[in-house]
Amino acid sequence: MRINYDFADLEAFLAVKETGSFHLAAERLNLSQSAVTRRVQKLETALDSVLFERTTRAVKPTLAAKRLQSRAEAILDDARETASAMRDESVAYAYQRNAVVTVAVIPTVAKLIIPEAIRRFRSQGHGARFRFFDQSANAVAESVARAEADFGICSIPELEPNTRFESLFNDQIVLVLPKDHPLVAQRRLNWTDIANEDLIVPARGTGNRLLIDEAMARAGLPLLWAYEIRRSTTALDFVSEGMGLALLPRSALASYPDRGVVFKPIDNPTILRPVGMLSRIEQKQTASEGAFKDIIRTVCATL
């Protein structure tokens, strides 16, 4: 059945019904009286019903008008709610398209996780922008705790009081060495195998160094190093130049293209670095932030 009336016709009908006058209805709707009359007549024709008995002194609603009133009110209420919801969704969509998600991340895992997560985020239609802080683990924790970053990706042995850590994967500390080094041919390596090598280790005070020192102390083994270096990329450069062998997280190699180096796991003890997301407790997250976190979880599940 074809519908030959619209919302404006229903509004005119209700205005006349509620005011009892075409003149007052016209004033309420800011229309001419003739315009209100035409709309009511159009509705009567479409419904094949007389809605008002008109006299020179009064406008009296018919039984059909009384039956139509509740239906007309419901139709207009639904239309207003729909329009409001669509406006809200449009505003929310526009906000999400222009929202900025700030992520603090340790450099060793940035290339391993972030590019693939961004590709998946964009492929799902999300349009938020990103601000990345590539920082040490301690700096990531501070950025999250101070609300400078929405969340962080790091390995941190101690948490700030207002943060929580969600583990994503374990990143093993490995030995990085030149491809032509004799130890490459050895199937398994123990710490005693590298006792006489020039070791390149993370600088004291870093999260990686703390993990290594604690593991060595538990195993009762000395850590005899030749070079302390703060940045993993510099340590990899030193290995490439034949200056020594480096103890680094395996993820660090993801940001270092093949330049003649390989990695070998070391056993007894095996040192694992937990990498995860750091968030503030009771923090309210945006839809974009929540979606990006879910994608990061999915990416890390494949590592």
Side-chain angles (χ1 to χ4, degrees):
M1 178 180 178
R2 186 175 181 181
I3 298 175
N4 293 319
Y5 60 88
D6 54 32
F7 296 137
D9 301 332
L10 293 175
E11 285 180 329
F13 157 72
L14 288 174
V16 175
K17 175 70 171 56
E18 292 166 2
T19 62
S21 165
F22 279 83
H23 174 70
L24 294 177
E27 289 184 349
R28 174 186 289 188
L29 298 175
N30 196 28
L31 296 171
S32 66
Q33 184 171 329
S34 59
V36 173
T37 300
R38 285 195 299 272
R39 291 183 180 184
V40 172
Q41 289 174 340
K42 176 184 173 185
L43 186 60
E44 288 178 322
T45 300
L47 298 177
D48 194 22
S49 300
V50 176
L51 298 174
F52 297 102
E53 295 178 357
R54 304 166 179 82
T55 67
T56 56
R57 295 184 178 181
V59 176
K60 183 178 179 181
T62 64
L63 179 60
K66 294 176 182 178
R67 294 176 60 187
L68 176 62
Q69 182 175 3
S70 60
R71 290 180 171 85
E73 289 171 344
I75 290 171
L76 291 176
D77 285 344
D78 285 344
R80 294 186 185 102
E81 289 178 6
T82 299
S84 177
M86 292 302 294
R87 282 195 297 270
D88 290 345
E89 289 175 6
S90 296
V91 170
Y93 178 74
Y95 170 76
Q96 293 300 334
R97 292 288 299 181
N98 292 289
V100 176
V101 179
T102 302
V103 184
V105 57
I106 52 177
T108 50
V109 301
K111 185 174 181 180
L112 186 67
I113 297 173
I114 298 302
E116 178 60 23
I118 291 289
R119 282 190 286 269
R120 297 189 189 189
F121 186 82
R122 296 288 184 234
S123 70
Q124 293 179 14
H126 301 291
R129 295 172 293 164
F130 289 91
R131 180 181 296 114
F132 290 104
F133 299 153
D134 48 334
Q135 302 172 313
S136 68
N138 289 331
V140 168
E142 291 176 1
S143 292
V144 173
R146 295 173 183 171
E148 296 168 355
D150 296 316
F151 69 97
I153 303 173
C154 66
S155 60
I156 187 72
E158 296 181 6
L159 300 180
E160 296 287 338
N162 63 332
T163 61
R164 63 172 175 268
F165 184 81
E166 175 189 344
S167 182
L168 294 172
F169 67 96
N170 285 321
D171 193 12
Q172 186 174 358
I173 300 295
V174 297
L175 183 70
V176 183
L177 60 167
K179 284 184 176 180
D180 58 358
H181 194 281
L183 288 177
V184 172
Q186 193 164 319
R187 185 173 181 182
R188 307 291 298 184
L189 290 180
N190 292 316
W191 290 90
T192 54
D193 295 323
I194 61 174
N196 297 320
E197 300 289 342
D198 287 335
L199 289 183
I200 304 166
V201 299
R204 189 174 296 275
T206 61
N208 292 333
R209 178 62 179 275
L210 180 60
L211 285 173
I212 294 171
D213 286 345
E214 289 179 346
M216 294 295 97
R218 287 194 300 269
L221 296 172
L223 180 65
L224 303 176
W225 51 269
Y227 310 100
E228 277 189 343
I229 296 180
R230 185 163 294 276
R231 291 188 175 274
S232 298
T233 51
T234 305
L236 288 166
D237 286 337
F238 276 29
V239 175
S240 180
E241 293 296 326
M243 296 177 63
L245 313 183
L247 295 174
L248 293 173
R250 181 175 177 179
S251 61
L253 298 178
S255 59
Y256 195 85
D258 183 12
R259 289 178 56 183
V261 302
V262 296
F263 74 88
K264 297 278 291 185
I266 308 179
D267 301 323
N268 301 318
T270 297
I271 304 176
L272 297 177
R273 178 179 76 153
V275 174
M277 282 192 293
L278 195 66
S279 304
R280 288 184 300 283
I281 297 172
E282 298 180 357
Q283 171 191 350
K284 292 183 179 180
Q285 65 182 14
T286 65
S288 292
E289 179 187 342
F292 193 55
K293 283 182 175 179
D294 286 341
I295 291 171
I296 288 173
R297 293 183 183 101
T298 302
V299 171
C300 290
T302 64
L303 297 178

